[in-house]
Every structure is written in structure tokens, then in C-alpha cells.
Amino acid sequence: MGIRNRSGFSASNEGVSRRSLLKGAGLAAALVPMSGVLAACGSGSESGGGGAASSGAAKAVPLPTYVPPVKPKPLLEGNAQGVMDVYASFPMDGPRTVNGQVGDGSDFNVLIMTYGQPSPPVSESPYWQLLNKELNLNVKPVQVPFDSFQTKFPALVAGDDLPEFVSVPMYMNVSRLPQLAEAQFTDLSEFLSGDAVKKYPNLAGIQNYAWLNGYLNGRIYGVPKSDPIFTSQIYTKTDVIEAAGGNPHPANLQEFKDLAKAVTNPKAGVYAFGSNIADFMMMMFGVPNKWTKRSDGTFVSAYEHEAFVPAIAELADLYKSGCFHPDTPTLMSNKTQRDSMFRGGKLAMLWDGNRAVGIVADDKDVVFDIMVPFGKDGGKGVHWTGGGAYAMTMIKKTTDKNRIDMFLRVLDYIAAPFGSRESFIMSYGVEGADYTVKDGVAVLTTRGQREQDLGLAYIVGGPQVLCDPQGAPGVDKLNYEWQQKAVPMLLDNPAQHLYSETFNTKGASLEQQMQDAITAVFLGREPASSLTSAVQKWKVAGGDRMAKEYAEAAALAG
């Protein structure tokens, strides 16, 4: 097994919810936000690659041994297929999972991508102060906003300015990641492979599919923050839809178009959509999840699927019909504004990440539903699975085993499972300042929500749950029921954890070319027929080579 690549394609260059190369070697970190909005509390990344044979296959080590974490009894039980457990509230008296001293009193300089405003300084943040005390560290985050990460991260790499600890969101496509890891970060295999991980019990509770994201060239370089298997979905503003007389539960393409038309009211400033929903359209049309593996072992890109061009053509027609907000070209990269417009009833439907808590968990007044996937002509739809991890966290190259052990102890604390004392601290902070207790339930204060922007809670972790007591009434049960309906429709990407040298070196630029081509058709700047030549250029420039390399990697993996 080898690197987890990003072989996925995307047309919806979306933002993310909060609660969410080498210097002197001629390598550059090419970052491309992949589709599928991720939330720190749970959307899936839509990407591909990373896994089988690579240059490091001869020294490959086993993945960390998985030890399921102990959990409190859920209100609604999840399952092994990906449906998450539901809890009414977070236990405030959970067991301790970390004993003994965690940190060594030193500075903990960590790169974190954030989605809100910069966190209040430590002198004004009881939450930050508590974490410093609990971890016995001086946490010093290098916070990089989402919208500048693409430029900031390569600049830090090129200037040799990366901090000691680095957390990289997995949907940010880092070109030549194995080379970057081998040159600048520490191989953690000795500490985490197989049963060695049991020294850090909470890290052992991270699922194997999440570990594959930090498994590069057959070695373990990154510790993951796992993600649910579900990717993005369409949230519907049911009150707006009902007022317009629309059907909030379309079962085929025509009903979907009828709904979009019914809710669109330019005079009132109300539109069906405000962002690119290309991935949703492709899933509706049955387009495969990035790649298809044929019975003879060969791989074929979803770009070559017969439904790809028709799906984007239909999307372009929908845009041309006026169902998209006129500011959609700019709204596509402004999640905050889209969320606000959805809350305010100016957008009737919102394409966002699973459990995009910016809309479903932080606002008790928002009335919404989640659209169940469906096929173009009716019947069961398709829902693409994601890569299994939101981020992976690494330590700069060092031979200091004590420092590595300290790093892993810190991550072990942060990764404590739901229901534990440590997880409650990470989620709620200091009573009085960050949360209050109402009817036996911890409730984050406005200050507490603000201090969560520190972002440390989102750099590592295992199985996630549905527990949003402050959210809209019934939000967790609603999402749970949606997940149950979506599970039979899940479609994996067969190249998700396979290695392709071509994608490793050229994938970012190739994906950007295709995203640009799709967006041009979506916005009416180019005809749908232009996609045929765009796909052909993509194939010649590296797509065909990727397919060959994935087939070879799959054969080696057995």
C-alpha cells in the first residue's frame, strides 16, 4: 500500500463550515479545493487515490491496529456501513481516557486551517488557557484562513517556514505529497504501526480507512481526523418551498426542475440555488465516483462515462433558466454569504457538506430538510463516498523520540472519543465562560462558540457522532434518517487509496483544467460539447496514464 492520492474530480469549488514543494528541490505544493464541502464535525472529503504499491512498497508497514473506542449508549444506534450514532446531549461526567502528564511544558506550534475569524488571543480565551493547562503546553497555533490556504501553505514550504507541527486538510490537494512527507516530516511507523499504536489508545480508536490518508509510500507520516463516509448533500428550506407550492421531495430530474422553477422568484430575490451543484447532477445521472474498475482490471475515468456530458449539459440548462442566483459566480466561493442567504430564505436549496453545522446545528430557528438522492428517471440514486479523513497532522522531521512521543500523546488527548472527559473539554471548555448547563445539558455560550475557532479540536480524531443539542429541533434524527436512506446508494471510488505517480505529480493541474471546463459550461460560457475536447486533452495530458497506473497498483494490491 502507498500514498493516498487525490484522483477525484470536482466542479463545485465549495467552502467549508467551521463546526470544518520542497525548497531547493523544484517541487511545488499545488493546492486544489476538491468538491464536497467538509465540516470539522463531519462532511466527507470527495477525492481519490492513495494506497497500493509505490516506491516505498518494499518497506511497507501494517496499518495501526484498530481498537474500537468505548462509547456511551446512543439514543439511536449507528452501523458499520457509516450511519452515525445519535446522542441527545454530551455526557458531562464521562470517563478519563488519558492518564499522566501529556505535554512537556514546551511550545506547541501547529499549522491549522480555520474557517471563522481568528481565535481570540490566549489572554482573552479561557478555553485556550484550559487546553494549555490540560496538555501542559503553550499552544501556539499558526492559523491560516481557508480562503488563503492555497497560497499560504506553498509559501511556507518554499520559505522553509512551516511550524513544527502541521495539520493539512485532505481535500486540499497537495502535489507530490510523498516527497514532501519524506523530505520534511517524520516517519511515525515505529510508533503507530500494528500494535504499537496501543500505547496511544485514542489513536487506536481511529478507523483504518482514515489512517490510509496518512499512509504514504507504505509508511505512516500523518495522524488523521476521520470523516463520515457521506459527502455533500442538498439542504432544502422547507418553509420557502411550501410557501411556493413546491414538492420538497423530488424523485426524478423533472420533479427536481419543477421544484427549482417553483421556488425561484426574482422579484422577491429568492432563487433555488447559489452555487455549483455539478456533483449532485452527476450523481443523479449515475456518473461513477471518479473511476470505474472494469472486470478485466482496467480503470476508466468518470469523465468518460456516457452520462458525464449530459449531466453537465442539464446543469447548464438549469442555470440558463434563471433558477440560480445572479451572483452565483461569486457566491460559489463565499460560503458565509450562501449560508446567510439560506437562513434568510433567499436560497431555497443549499449544496453543502454532510452535517454542515454552519446551517444545521448553530441555528434553532432555521427550518430545513435534506434531499434524499434519486435517479434521473426515478428509482434509487447514487451517493459518492469520500476519502475517510478531514485532515492529517504531521511533525517536522526529527530523530528525537521523546519529542515524537510527546506529539503523539498530545494527539491522543485531542482524539479522545465522544463521551470522555477529554472530549468534553475539547468540545466545551470552561463552565461559565464557554458553556452553561441548562436542564442537565451543556450549552455553548456565544463566547464558547467563538473560542472554538482555535481549531485544535479538528486536527485529529476518530468516529464522529450526531449530537447537536443546540441545533434546530430534530436535526440529528433528521440526519440519521437521511443517512439510513443514503447507505444503500453509496458508491465507492475504486482508486481511492491507490497510487498513481502521474496524479501525484500532475493531478492538481489536470483537475483544475477539468473544473474550469465544467464551470465554463455551467455558467454558459462554453457549450456542453466543449467538454468532449476537454476530456480528450485531460486524457492525453495524463488521464490515460493515471488509469494505467491505478490498474497496475490494484493488481499489485491483489
Side-chain angles (χ1 to χ4, degrees), residues 205-343:
I206 298 176
Q207 309 95 315
N208 280 352
Y209 66 74
W211 280 108
L212 286 170
N213 292 272
Y215 191 64
L216 312 176
N217 284 341
R219 311 291 292 182
I220 302 169
Y221 284 92
V223 183
K225 168 72 173 179
S226 70
D227 244 353
I229 196 170
F230 307 98
T231 49
S232 296
Q233 55 205 30
I234 285 185
Y235 295 91
T236 55
K237 196 77 166 60
T238 49
D239 51 351
V240 173
I241 293 173
E242 290 171 2
N247 171 17
H249 304 291
N252 55 52
L253 173 61
Q254 187 57 55
E255 292 182 8
F256 181 69
K257 292 163 65 175
D258 291 343
L259 169 61
K261 181 179 179 181
V263 298
T264 299
N265 184 352
K267 290 184 178 179
V270 178
Y271 294 87
F273 311 102
S275 63
N276 192 339
I277 59 169
D279 284 0
F280 180 79
M281 296 297 291
M282 285 187 275
M283 285 187 271
M284 184 199 305
F285 274 66
V287 175
N289 186 354
K290 319 304 183 276
W291 292 90
T292 295
K293 182 183 179 182
R294 291 171 169 166
S295 58
D296 63 358
T298 58
F299 277 65
V300 180
S301 168
Y303 289 136
E304 300 175 71
H305 190 270
E306 61 183 8
F308 167 61
V309 174
I312 305 304
E314 193 66 57
L315 173 66
D317 286 345
L318 196 60
Y319 181 82
K320 186 178 180 180
S321 73
C323 294
F324 285 78
H325 194 282
D327 293 335
T328 292
T330 55
L331 284 174
M332 286 193 294
S333 59
N334 192 333
K335 173 177 169 51
T336 301
Q337 188 176 357
R338 293 197 312 273
D339 281 0
S340 177
M341 293 175 72
F342 181 79
R343 291 173 189 264

Side-chain angles (χ1 to χ4, degrees), residues 47-319:
S47 56
S54 74
S55 60
K59 58 177 182 178
V61 298
L63 287 169
T65 300
Y66 176 63
V67 180
V70 176
K71 67 179 183 181
K73 182 175 176 56
L75 184 66
L76 297 171
E77 187 85 30
N79 60 36
Q81 286 70 49
V83 176
M84 291 185 279
D85 292 331
V86 175
Y87 292 91
S89 63
F90 205 119
M92 292 184 288
D93 57 352
R96 183 187 293 270
T97 64
V98 175
N99 297 299
Q101 182 172 288
V102 179
D104 57 9
S106 64
D107 288 349
F108 191 80
N109 297 281
V110 56
L111 178 74
I112 303 174
M113 191 174 81
T114 59
Y115 307 105
Q117 301 174 13
S119 172
V122 62
S123 61
E124 300 174 14
S125 175
Y127 174 73
W128 192 341
Q129 294 167 23
L130 175 61
L131 293 189
N132 278 346
K133 179 181 178 180
E134 284 286 316
L135 297 172
N136 189 32
L137 292 170
N138 179 23
V139 176
K140 299 179 71 174
V142 178
Q143 296 180 315
V144 180
F146 159 75
D147 56 4
S148 62
F149 195 90
Q150 290 175 273
T151 54
K152 182 67 172 178
F153 184 77
L156 290 172
V157 172
D160 197 20
D161 290 328
L162 285 173
E164 183 178 11
F165 311 104
V166 175
S167 185
V168 178
M170 295 310 299
Y171 69 103
M172 288 292 182
N173 186 26
V174 180
S175 180
R176 308 200 74 174
L177 185 56
Q179 290 87 343
L180 172 63
E182 290 180 358
Q184 293 203 16
F185 294 97
T186 300
D187 182 347
L188 302 171
S189 302
E190 173 187 348
F191 300 83
L192 297 174
S193 177
D195 287 347
V197 75
K198 292 181 179 178
K199 180 179 179 182
Y200 315 98
N202 294 329
L203 299 186
I206 298 176
Q207 309 95 315
N208 280 352
Y209 66 74
W211 280 108
L212 286 170
N213 292 272
Y215 191 64
L216 312 176
N217 284 341
R219 311 291 292 182
I220 302 169
Y221 284 92
V223 183
K225 168 72 173 179
S226 70
D227 244 353
I229 196 170
F230 307 98
T231 49
S232 296
Q233 55 205 30
I234 285 185
Y235 295 91
T236 55
K237 196 77 166 60
T238 49
D239 51 351
V240 173
I241 293 173
E242 290 171 2
N247 171 17
H249 304 291
N252 55 52
L253 173 61
Q254 187 57 55
E255 292 182 8
F256 181 69
K257 292 163 65 175
D258 291 343
L259 169 61
K261 181 179 179 181
V263 298
T264 299
N265 184 352
K267 290 184 178 179
V270 178
Y271 294 87
F273 311 102
S275 63
N276 192 339
I277 59 169
D279 284 0
F280 180 79
M281 296 297 291
M282 285 187 275
M283 285 187 271
M284 184 199 305
F285 274 66
V287 175
N289 186 354
K290 319 304 183 276
W291 292 90
T292 295
K293 182 183 179 182
R294 291 171 169 166
S295 58
D296 63 358
T298 58
F299 277 65
V300 180
S301 168
Y303 289 136
E304 300 175 71
H305 190 270
E306 61 183 8
F308 167 61
V309 174
I312 305 304
E314 193 66 57
L315 173 66
D317 286 345
L318 196 60
Y319 181 82

